[in-house]
Amino acid sequence: MDVMIQLQRQLREHSAFLRKEGYLDDQFEQLQKLQDESSPDFVVEVVSIFFDDSEKLLNNLAKALEQKAVDFKQVDAHVHQFKGSSASIGAMRVKNVCIEFRNYCEAQNIEECLTCMQKLQFEYSVLKNQLEYLFRLEQQIRAAGV
Amino acid sequence: MERNVFVSRRRIDGFDVSPSDSAEAHVLAVDDSLVDRKFIEKLLKISSFKVTAVDSGRRALQFLGLDEETSSSVGFDGLKVDLIITDYCMPGMTGYELLKKIKESSNFREIPVVIMSSENVIARIDRCLEEGAEDFFVKPVKLSDVKRLKDYMMREVRFGSTNSGGTNKRKLQESCDLTSSEPSISSLSSSSSDSPSRSPISPSSAPSSIPTPLDSPVRRLKMTNAGGLI
């Protein structure tokens, strides 16, 4: 019983922290609201797809930025995709880096693009860790409730 | 008008979309992003629609039976499509190009089409509406947006009108007003239309009493196009 209460408190606090620090916005809550008995793992499923997508995009971005003659339109296309998927799951910080990144693509500023790339990798890694922790807590709560 | 024909054709087919029964309505969702497909599919299912989700305009046309290679006009699994909701930015065929193809088809032009886009570009919205799109949703799409899709089908069955007046463009007006005051004209650049946060309006509310400003782009469009000229 104590374990359950503690876990639930941790979950609440972690969720509030993610919102407060801007890792996640309202859209994540919208995702959670869509989860129901017919799709009890909906959020985890969508976020897993997001992780897979993101890793591919980051790879593609890294390759595109390594080129001697960087194709900014291509880079922008990848960032645009990333922006879209991060917005769809409520990953606000990641999304905001994408917005900044796109501006530098348009300006064809390679230095700033490279900086954004690093920021993006960083924000994505942090977010991934935060969400995995969140999901672990939820899983533990479910297990403790059985 | 064409929409009245659509109404009577539906009744003749015995396909009656009653207000309370949208479980019959079948929506074809088109988006190249898997994340977004999963999301829109869920929104649609929760709103009691049957959903078929495809990843490209080409596949959407194939599903409808409109692909150049096939001449059949029946959707390939025989299910009627009652509405198409498509992303705008897709590789290969854009949502706009898909919209055009559908509106050019004698068999499918009656199907209401809604466009989704992460970019709130006025020129883009105008272009889609002019081409016959029913509405334009800014991503991320809300449950309240999807719930409104029933209106497009309902309206056609009950009233047979093409012009939905101002009400279902309400969302458009809200989303247009929320971004920068300077509309981006013809470029697809995101710099003038992007904003880091979505809106001050709570996503879970569907405000119906927000006054629509007279200079809203959709209203302006309707006024200037009053003569039917584009």
Side-chain angles (χ1 to χ4, degrees):
Chain A
M1 191 58 183
D2 279 341
V3 170
M4 178 68 111
I5 290 174
Q6 197 184 17
L7 284 171
Q8 283 169 336
R9 184 169 47 83
Q10 277 179 292
L11 179 64
R12 264 198 316 273
E13 285 172 357
H14 187 60
S15 301
F17 167 77
L18 292 178
R19 287 295 302 267
K20 181 164 172 282
E21 296 298 313
Y23 288 105
L24 296 174
D25 62 23
D26 280 345
Q27 180 60 18
F28 189 75
E29 215 177 294
Q30 297 305 314
L31 267 190
Q32 289 174 313
K33 284 186 182 160
L34 293 178
Q35 188 158 287
D36 58 16
E37 305 81 44
S38 68
S39 58
D41 299 309
F42 178 68
V43 180
V44 172
E45 282 167 9
V46 176
V47 173
S48 301
I49 294 171
F50 170 72
F51 287 159
D52 286 342
D53 251 9
S54 301
E55 270 138 47
K56 285 194 197 103
L57 282 169
L58 285 169
N59 268 336
N60 290 337
L61 270 171
K63 287 203 191 97
L65 288 168
E66 277 166 17
Q67 302 302 312
K68 271 200 171 156
V70 172
D71 181 350
F72 286 101
K73 275 202 158 55
Q74 183 62 267
V75 174
D76 182 70
H78 292 313
V79 180
H80 170 76
Q81 248 190 293
F82 207 164
K83 185 194 129 206
S85 56
S86 56
S88 292
I89 69 149
M92 190 165 85
R93 280 202 191 187
V94 170
K95 183 189 76 174
N96 287 344
V97 176
C98 289
I99 291 171
E100 196 192 342
F101 202 155
R102 291 196 77 193
N103 289 335
Y104 289 127
C105 286
E106 201 183 322
Q108 305 210 346
N109 185 331
I110 186 66
E111 300 297 329
E112 294 294 347
C113 280
L114 290 170
T115 304
C116 278
M117 181 67 197
Q118 285 181 322
K119 277 192 204 174
L120 198 53
Q121 275 164 328
F122 176 73
E123 288 297 341
Y124 170 72
S125 300
V126 172
L127 177 72
K128 185 162 187 226
N129 285 336
Q130 304 285 22
L131 284 173
E132 285 175 341
Y133 176 53
L134 188 79
F135 294 147
R136 267 201 309 277
L137 282 173
E138 286 179 343
Q139 205 177 358
Q140 285 174 302
I141 287 171
R142 265 200 296 249
V146 168
Chain B
M1 291 189 86
E2 281 168 352
R3 295 296 166 105
N4 284 329
V5 172
F6 168 68
V7 170
S8 51
R9 203 193 303 149
R10 287 209 160 236
R11 295 228 170 104
I12 285 167
D13 285 348
F15 190 98
D16 228 343
V17 182
S18 59
S20 56
D21 181 26
S22 63
E24 297 300 312
H26 178 211
V27 177
L28 178 62
V30 191
D31 200 318
D32 62 311
S33 156
L34 183 52
V35 171
D36 287 350
R37 269 204 309 286
K38 276 269 168 279
F39 181 57
I40 194 74
E41 192 173 25
K42 185 65 182 170
L43 286 177
L44 288 163
K45 284 191 174 150
I46 275 196
S47 308
S48 308
F49 293 108
K50 277 207 203 59
V51 190
T52 298
V54 299
D55 65 0
S56 70
R58 184 71 196 274
R59 290 237 205 277
L61 291 177
Q62 281 171 354
F63 183 79
L64 289 169
L66 257 183
D67 200 21
E68 278 98 49
E69 269 134 57
T70 63
S71 53
S72 155
S73 63
V74 177
F76 92 67
D77 69 346
L79 269 181
K80 271 189 195 308
V81 170
D82 299 299
L83 184 135
I84 297 167
I85 181 163
T86 177
D87 188 24
Y88 185 96
C89 276
M90 296 189 289
M93 190 187 297
T94 66
Y96 176 70
E97 286 160 355
L98 175 61
L99 167 68
K100 275 177 75 168
K101 283 218 153 45
I102 288 164
K103 293 303 168 187
E104 281 162 10
S105 142
S106 45
N107 283 322
F108 296 103
R109 74 164 79 104
E110 311 294 351
I111 303 180
V113 181
V114 170
I115 310 282
M116 308 180 276
S117 176
S118 56
E119 309 201 300
N120 196 352
V121 174
I122 307 255
R124 179 182 294 188
I125 296 172
D126 285 356
R127 206 183 319 135
C128 291
L129 294 180
E130 282 166 20
E131 200 59 44
E134 295 299 320
D135 208 337
F136 188 102
F137 294 162
V138 176
K139 284 177 160 185
V141 177
K142 300 293 180 225
L143 189 57
S144 52
D145 293 330
V146 170
K147 285 199 189 293
R148 267 223 310 283
L149 291 176
K150 290 176 197 164
D151 291 347
Y152 299 121
M153 304 182 212
M154 241 39 74
R155 198 175 301 272
E156 283 161 2
V157 172
R158 292 162 87 193
F159 305 114
S161 67
T162 48
N163 192 339
S164 45
T167 49
N168 64 334
K169 300 295 186 280
R170 188 184 349 111
K171 179 63 182 178
L172 263 159
Q173 290 156 339
E174 288 164 14
S175 31
C176 287
D177 292 338
L178 297 172
T179 53
S180 73
S181 54
E182 189 194 348
S184 159
I185 310 299
S186 54
S187 79
L188 296 181
S189 128
S190 60
S191 49
S192 59
S193 59
D194 267 339
S195 58
S197 64
R198 196 171 189 276
S199 90
I201 295 173
S202 154
S204 54
S205 70
S208 52
S209 57
I210 289 187
T212 53
L214 283 175
D215 63 350
S216 91
V218 175
R219 194 168 288 216
R220 247 190 285 121
L221 171 71
K222 285 189 176 302
M223 280 166 15
T224 55
N225 286 350
L229 295 173
I230 287 169

